[in-house]
Amino acid sequence: SIEKEYITSNKYSRKSWVDLDQDGVLEEHEKVSETTRNHNTGVLTQNNWDRNADGSVNARSWTVTSADGLTSTTRHDANFDGNEETKTVDQTVIAGNGSSTRTVAVTNKDGSGREETTFAYSADGKTVTTSRDIDGNGSIEAKTVDQTSTLSGGVVRREVSEFAGNNTLLSRQQVDRSADRRVTTTREDIDGDGQWDQISTKTQGTD
């Protein structure tokens, strides 16, 4: 197949085509994406088309991204009937202390919630807390805390803990890697009872 990407000299426009019918010619009805940037506001708009081999459209999505890149809104027309079935708003807020929160919220065409995920990043980037509302009812059903720290001797520890919506610990994994990256020790609490159920150590040889 043939694919082509076209970028204007001022980089305000980008278009992509795919030779869907395999005839060696790229035609307008084989365009699969088009991105433009408003040179006054900096707002980025991207259109994507999912097409059949004959160029007819199965589905379409379009995304508008703010000039600072912190907010984007994507609308999905899943069957190309002219109606938007879902809308996804992806927004990042940066606090004064350097920490940040990213929220990805999906709503149905009637505006009701479908699902929402929130990522909270510490200022040093070493802790990420992910909270999930998997059914859009406004309650958190699952949470993951991913923490990285440096211990004595240069050992790097990464600990990932899974929680239920009520903050009950479901499972935990702790991985320690030596400063020379040769020795890795993994501990797993598979049932969230606070006890390590499995402990393993792997040592890599040197050349």
Side-chain angles (χ1 to χ4, degrees), residues 44-61:
L44 193 72
T45 302
Q46 180 176 12
N47 285 278
N48 294 285
W49 297 272
D50 179 20
R51 297 182 183 271
N52 300 304
D54 63 0
S56 58
V57 179
N58 277 321
R60 176 193 174 213
S61 67

Side-chain angles (χ1 to χ4, degrees), residues 38 131 138 183:
N38 186 301
S131 303
V183 181

Side-chain angles (χ1 to χ4, degrees), residues 139-183:
S139 299
I140 300 300
E141 281 82 35
K143 183 172 73 172
T144 302
V145 179
D146 188 332
Q147 294 177 299
T148 300
S149 58
T150 302
L151 310 180
S152 61
V155 173
V156 176
R157 170 173 291 176
R158 181 183 179 190
E159 185 167 298
V160 180
S161 303
E162 301 285 349
F163 298 88
N166 61 1
N167 284 324
T168 299
L169 179 65
L170 300 177
S171 65
R172 181 167 58 123
Q173 183 187 71
Q174 189 181 88
V175 179
D176 291 349
R177 180 170 291 179
S178 61
D180 61 7
R181 304 177 69 85
R182 292 186 57 234
V183 181

